[in-house]
Each structure stands twice: as C-alpha cells, then as structure tokens.
Amino acid sequence: KMKFKWGDLFKSAVVGGCIGAISGTVFGFMDGMRTAGQSDVLKNASNMAKGRYMLQGTTRSATMFGVFFGGFHVVRYGVRVAMDPGEWGEIGLAGAVSMGALMSQPAFRPSMPYASMLIVMDGVHIVMREFNN
C-alpha cells in the first residue's frame, strides 16, 4: 500500500492538468475551425470576430480538459493510496468517477468522446511502458 504524500498528489494534478490543457487546446481549435467553416453567421463575420470566437472556444476547451484530466489523475492517485487495485483498476475507477462527473453536466456531454480518448491514452501509456520493460 502506498503512503499519501502531498507532493505526489500535486505532481499528479499538474501532469494531468498540463496534458489535458494541451489536448483541450487542440480539440478546441479543431472544433472552432469546423464551426467557423459551417456557421452561416461566422462565414459573414470579420476575421477579427472569427479569431475571437476561436480563441474563446480554445480557451474554454483547454480549461475544461485541463480540469477534467487533472481531476482524473488526482482521483487515480487517491484510488492508488486508498486501495491500490493496480494500474488498470486505478484507471477504471478514476475513469468511471471522472466520466460520471463530466456526464452530470449536459454542457460537457459533447466532450465525452475526447475525454474518454484521454483516459484510453493513459492506458496505452501503461501498455507501452510495460512493453519497453
């Protein structure tokens, strides 16, 4: 069983938050580009208005995914300290809690495929690390 350390919890939150924010920036930019190309209102808007729209969407997405994936890593660390079910158990339990929190807010539900991809990527990281050892 692992002993709780504030430093480890902080590192987990920072790593998850950074990865989530970077991924969210890309997701937000892609969604903003798609929306700007499909929206009749934005097609007629100035380039400045389009840029502002994309910047706001990118910032919103980066923040949401940073908080989501940072929270996922904090929950994962808590599961590891509380019961140590192994890496796959940690991902499963933390993923269920995090996705449940995301699903509870209707405005965030469209982001669930991207959020689940981040969790799957965490599992792929484990597989690749085991494969290299």
Side-chain angles (χ1 to χ4, degrees), residues 20-85:
I22 292 167
S23 300
T25 299
V26 173
F27 299 151
F29 183 76
M30 290 184 326
D31 282 345
M33 289 290 287
R34 180 179 38 84
T35 303
Q38 293 174 348
S39 171
D40 290 333
V41 173
L42 287 174
K43 282 181 186 175
N44 297 325
S46 69
N47 287 337
M48 186 78 139
K50 289 177 190 174
R52 191 174 318 116
Y53 172 80
M54 288 180 51
L55 182 62
Q56 288 173 346
T58 300
T59 303
R60 189 178 319 113
S61 180
T63 302
M64 193 271 299
F65 280 103
V67 169
F68 167 78
F69 207 54
F72 166 79
H73 276 272
V74 165
V75 172
R76 184 174 171 200
Y77 179 77
V79 168
R80 184 181 315 135
V81 169
M83 59 183 85
D84 195 19

Side-chain angles (χ1 to χ4, degrees), residues 103-121:
M103 193 169 31
S104 71
Q105 296 296 321
F108 296 148
R109 289 180 188 158
S111 301
M112 289 186 67
Y114 293 138
S116 62
M117 186 193 73
L118 283 172
I119 294 171
V120 168
M121 284 174 40

